[in-house]
């Protein structure tokens, strides 16, 4: 188990922090990637150093990421980054631009660096609905990144959760909270009427629960390809 080296991109996020914690709890040498201009850099340095993770602040640039991978030779690379509406509002840009720039371009950059340098298992946090004909930019980007991961030749784990929510999320996301609450009520009713499979697929999941399953499945993957729908992400 101690031979694994995990590189976590998007480590400062809600899921990223939980994934770093889940890896450390399993004794995995963990490199938490936080961009040098992250608003969360100081707080993440303190938090991750305290639990024994290494911080990497390589800028988002393919050549530098390749050099970082060459140095640490990760066997697992987690791609957990993504834009949000509130960030788009703060930056004064349409959210579609950020989905293209962060969710797509940076994740593909990470994938390209992984393919060229260390050939790790690539763990991609996608989304429920990304496998169907995409209905919006968010899902189209997820679909296209999934396609690239599948075509990369790397072993991979793709997770497709619905809402990821729970306590400990610093950013207030009223739309997401409302959506998750609505969905959880609907799935609760569905369960009462025997539709437990549908309920398991769509009800929300906490960052900690998601991280535990994601880490466990990635460490003990018995197949080159592993696709985890929401119901498979339940502990
Ligand atoms: N939340 C949900 O309900 C849900 C459901 C399904 C799938 N997903 C997907 O799962 C992923 C993680 O979700 P989450 O809720 O854990 O996300 P989150 O808490 O919002 O974290 C997002 C991560 O992306 C990074 N990021 C954002 N803008 C960036 C930029 N311009 N350059 C570099 N990095 C940037 C953040 O880094 P900084 O801290 O440095 O900004 C942070 O590490 C996202 O891709 C999301 O789309 C989310």
């Amino acid at each position: 188990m101690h031979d694994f080296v995990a590189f976590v991109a998007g480590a400062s996020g809600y899921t990223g922090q939980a994934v770093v914690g889940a890896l450390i709890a399993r004794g995995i040498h963990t490199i938490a990637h936080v961009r040098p201009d992250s608003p969360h850099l100081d707080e993440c340095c303190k938090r991750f150093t305290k639990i024994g993770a290494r911080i990497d602040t390589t800028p988002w640039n393919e050549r530098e990421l390749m050099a970082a991978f060459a140095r640490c030779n990760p066997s697992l690379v987690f791609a957990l980054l993504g834009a949000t509406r509130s960030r788009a509002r703060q930056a004064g840009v349409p959210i579609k631009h950020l989905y293209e720039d962060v969710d797509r371009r940076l994740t593909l950059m990470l994938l390209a660096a992984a393919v060229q340098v260390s050939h790790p298992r690539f763990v991609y946090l996608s989304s429920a609905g990304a496998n169907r004909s995409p209905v919006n930019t968010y899902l189209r980007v997820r679909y296209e990144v999934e396609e690239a991961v599948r075509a990369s030749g790397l072993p991979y784990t793709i997770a497709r959760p619905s809402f990821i929510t729970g306590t400990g999320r610093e950013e207030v996301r009223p739309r997401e909270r409302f959506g998750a609450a609505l969905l959880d009520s609907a799935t609760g009713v569905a369960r009462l009427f025997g539709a437990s499979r549908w309920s398991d697929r769509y009800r929300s999941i906490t960052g900690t629960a998601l991280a535990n399953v994601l880490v466990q499945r990635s460490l003990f993957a018995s197949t080159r390809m592993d696709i985890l729908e929401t119901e498979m992400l339940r502990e």
Side-chain angles (χ1 to χ4, degrees):
M1 185 67 73
H2 292 273
D3 291 343
F4 280 99
V5 174
F7 185 98
V8 183
S12 58
Y14 176 64
T15 312
Q17 290 186 30
V19 165
V20 171
L23 286 162
I24 293 287
R26 288 165 176 78
I28 308 298
H29 181 67
T30 304
I31 298 154
H33 179 258
V34 184
R35 58 183 167 138
D37 52 344
S38 172
H40 303 110
L41 182 58
D42 289 348
E43 146 209 341
C44 283
C45 281
K46 282 188 203 130
R47 179 172 300 165
F48 292 146
T49 307
K50 201 166 161 191
I51 61 171
R54 221 184 81 199
I55 318 283
D56 180 299
T57 56
T58 301
W60 279 99
N61 157 316
E62 191 172 326
R63 201 173 42 81
E64 297 203 44
L65 274 178
M66 282 169 58
F69 282 177
R71 284 192 297 274
C72 66
N73 196 24
S75 38
L76 288 173
V77 170
F78 289 83
L80 311 174
L81 60 153
T84 58
R85 285 178 189 280
S86 66
R87 285 169 195 263
R89 260 194 309 276
Q90 278 164 17
V93 295
I95 182 68
K96 287 180 187 179
H97 291 201
L98 282 192
Y99 288 151
E100 295 288 354
D101 192 50
V102 178
D103 299 38
R104 180 191 162 90
R105 186 179 67 87
L106 298 187
T107 306
L108 292 183
M109 189 189 292
L110 191 73
L111 180 66
V115 168
Q116 289 174 73
V117 183
S118 57
H119 219 79
R121 172 167 284 267
F122 197 83
V123 185
Y124 174 50
L125 183 53
S126 183
S127 169
N131 54 328
R132 292 187 290 274
S133 183
V135 292
N136 55 36
T137 308
Y138 175 76
L139 289 177
R140 177 179 55 74
V141 164
R142 303 265 135 196
Y143 177 81
E144 288 171 3
V145 174
E146 281 198 13
E147 288 282 286
V149 171
R150 275 194 285 268
S152 67
L154 296 181
Y156 63 82
T157 300
I158 290 176
R160 295 186 183 137
S162 64
F163 285 104
I164 309 165
T165 189
T167 52
R169 201 188 255 297
E170 281 156 26
E171 200 185 343
V172 182
R173 300 183 180 192
R175 272 167 177 259
E176 211 169 271
R177 282 200 184 161
F178 179 70
L182 205 63
L183 201 61
D184 287 350
S185 307
T187 53
V189 173
R191 183 171 279 276
L192 285 177
F193 287 94
S196 52
R197 206 157 156 229
W198 185 86
S199 167
D200 276 349
R201 171 159 287 203
Y202 291 108
R203 76 191 147 88
S204 69
I205 187 167
T206 66
T208 313
L210 172 61
N212 277 329
V213 176
L214 209 51
V215 166
Q216 197 71 9
R217 289 287 293 232
S218 310
L219 291 173
F220 297 104
S222 54
T223 53
R224 195 179 79 77
M225 305 164 286
D226 199 13
I227 297 189
L228 306 173
E229 300 291 353
T230 304
E231 69 271 25
M232 298 160 80
L233 293 165
R234 311 264 170 227
E235 283 182 292

